[in-house]
Amino acid sequence: MILKDIRIKNFRSYYGETEFSLSEGLTLIIGGNGDGKTTFFEALEWLFNTTAEDTKESNISAMRKSELEIGENDEVSVSITFEHEGDKELEKSFTFERISADSYRTRDFKFIGYENEGSERLSVKGANLLERCFDSFIRKYCLFKGESELNVFNNDTALKTLVNTFSGIKQFEDLVALTEGFEQKSLNAVNKEMQNDQKVSRKARELDARLTVLNRDIFDCKKDIVTQETAINDYTVKLENLERYQDTSELYQTIKERIKTLSEKQARFRGMISCDYNTNLLDEYWILRSFPQILNEYQKKSSALSREKRKLDKQETERIAKEEGKREAIEQIQELANGATPLPWNLPDKETLQEMIDEEVCKVCGREAKKGTSAYEFMVNKLKEYLRHIEMEAKSKDFPNTEKKVLFPNTYIDELLTKQIQMSGTVEKDISSISTDISDHLAFISDRKRDLDKVNKDIQDAEDEKNRLLIQSPGITEDLLDKNFKDLKGFLETKSRAEKRVVELKLKLKGLEKDKEEIQAEFNMLEPTNTMTKVYQRVHTALNRIMKAFENAKETNVTTFLKMLEEQANAYMKLLNENDFYGIVHLRRTANGSARIELISDDGYTISNPGGAQRTTMYMSVLFAISKITTLKREQDYPLIFDAPTSSFEVYKEDVFYNVIDKIDKQCIIVTKDLLLNDETTGQRKLNYDKIQQLTCSVYRISKAEGYNPLDLSTIQTKTEKIR
């Protein structure tokens, strides 16, 4: 079957009639995102679907619908012309009609085929013609949307269907089933006759009982093996799916852990800088932060008041002395250096002065005043002066009192001076330290704020990295990545346990089957007296050998088919991976009768998680191999149709791929966004003509017609240009 042309009318973005002429080799349909690539592929899927009459309104061109007046109608259709033992045609269509401003009706669904018979052109049921020329079994190995659908053995019945179709194994299965039935009947007959034979009946019954137990154990053992191998296959598939995202998952977990660590630091820094200043002003005595400056000012003012008081006291004493003519009083007023005001005569008191003299220490300035020093003599004279004053006070009582003015009737200034003295020293030092502590705390908070700013930036960078990772992994969610990470270990452990159990069960099965053979041999060694029983023995032996021969032939047939498929796949694998590592494609049978496509190295090591391009070429190699075998077995070729199969390829890999496909003697239709460049002048995507010129294939460029409204679907139209 060779597709000659495809015609699309009013199917989604394909407004009006669009035609593609296809080559017998490679045809490339190149377009960017939103240009109609996938719509082209889905138009073919719609045409090849024989399961239902699909007239969904969503398949109608929005642009064409918008043009219709109420009561007007048009048609949606997809048709192909192909060669299959002569030219044939398939067309699927339906009519759509506008019945109101915003509603439409679909009707007249048709699926018609046309073929030539002599000079006549006959119409037939489209579904019948399609199944006859391009049946559903073949179609499932010919149409692929994206890289994810390339693994044809995801379906458990895929290999069995392939083997049954191409290897002739079905006949062997029928023969095995037939001979198994005969063998079992002859075995039952032999056992019955043996148990009725007087010579061997006892031994026969004993052996039959042992065989019954063994057969039950063998059945159970085989059942367990199938269960465990099915589990291995299931978990292998699951692990492959998980491993596909494993790198992404591990990177996601690394980023997530970094965000967690940074968030913890963020919380710590926020706790460090958070402060209820109203509370801390009281709790930490922040209100006293300016106390040293205030105390200094207080000390200045208190000292000034004390000096002023002493000055006024001196003036008053002088006045009284002059008035009373008391020379002694005037002489007591000593002038200090630089005109400084001396201390009052009664300070210090008698007792304090005597202590100072006895201990030879000045308790005013705190310095030593040893006997014989001027300081000591000063204290002695001061005490004498104090005693003279006391004496004069006593004498003055005998004279008329001179009028005295009480300058300072209260003790406020002395109290202020006393408070000054109390707040000086240790208290002043302690309170002063509060200012330092507060400054240090503010500096600490300032540093933590800078740390917090950096952490916030690091968190944002990590979040941006995580979002980029998710954007670059379409279809993958955070929940999936978390589940992937958590499930991987469990799946590996479960698979490992199942694999160990299979080894144990197969070893057990081997022992059971050996025991069965030994018992069966004992049966065969029995020598019954009945001649008919001996005949039954010989018949059973012959049927058993025939059954085993058919079983071996069946197994050999499957093995041969898989080997042939592997050889063809590896030939394509080599072509598609020129100048690159490609490995060996291996098809491993599974317990459910299907197969898994694996990639192994030359030393037998299984490459559990091949890269995207490697995986894609592996699957495509198998598809090309199936297609080739199909051609050989059916003597008919069939097209391969791909939508975006190379999205994981690097540019170099793309070039190799298209050059190889271009040279393969096989009809391929590939819808792709490869071979496009960014036009720096216009900012639009344009064809890479340098690379296209290296190919011999047919090339179409599809794109959205200019002047469309990105918010209005009815303005979208796919334009088609045949480049070559």
Side-chain angles (χ1 to χ4, degrees), residues 235-243 488 491-492 495:
Y235 280 105
T236 299
V237 173
K238 289 178 180 178
L239 284 167
E240 284 180 348
N241 292 331
L242 290 177
E243 287 172 351
L488 182 62
F491 288 171
L492 284 169
K495 181 188 174 187

Side-chain angles (χ1 to χ4, degrees), residues 147-148 240-253 255 465-485 609 615:
E147 293 176 316
S148 61
E240 284 180 348
N241 292 331
L242 290 177
E243 287 172 351
R244 190 176 306 163
Y245 307 125
Q246 187 58 22
D247 291 343
T248 302
S249 180
E250 289 178 357
L251 181 55
Y252 169 80
Q253 293 299 329
I255 297 171
E465 186 179 354
K466 182 182 72 174
N467 291 333
R468 285 194 298 272
L469 181 68
L470 294 172
I471 290 170
Q472 294 168 9
S473 307
I476 301 178
T477 63
E478 291 190 56
D479 289 342
L480 178 61
L481 292 174
D482 279 328
K483 188 176 186 301
N484 177 38
F485 188 78
N609 189 27
R615 184 186 297 109

Side-chain angles (χ1 to χ4, degrees), residues 530-593:
N530 193 313
T531 303
M532 197 63 194
T533 304
K534 294 180 180 179
V535 172
Y536 281 139
Q537 273 187 309
R538 290 194 294 270
V539 170
H540 171 257
T541 301
L543 288 172
N544 183 260
R545 289 174 179 172
I546 293 171
M547 179 193 71
K548 288 183 177 179
F550 282 133
E551 284 181 340
N552 291 334
K554 171 188 171 184
E555 186 64 26
T556 300
N557 205 309
V558 175
T559 302
T560 301
F561 175 77
L562 287 177
K563 185 174 178 60
M564 179 175 62
L565 193 58
E566 280 184 355
E567 288 175 353
Q568 293 292 337
N570 280 298
Y572 285 112
M573 189 69 174
K574 183 178 180 179
L575 285 173
L576 293 174
N577 291 275
E578 184 181 343
N579 298 324
D580 197 1
F581 172 79
Y582 52 89
I584 301 169
V585 177
H586 175 61
L587 301 177
R588 184 170 66 82
R589 294 173 67 182
T590 59
N592 59 8

Side-chain angles (χ1 to χ4, degrees), residues 439-453:
S439 297
D440 292 344
H441 186 66
L442 290 175
F444 175 81
I445 290 176
S446 180
D447 290 341
R448 298 298 78 74
K449 284 183 176 179
R450 284 193 293 272
D451 292 339
L452 180 61
D453 290 341

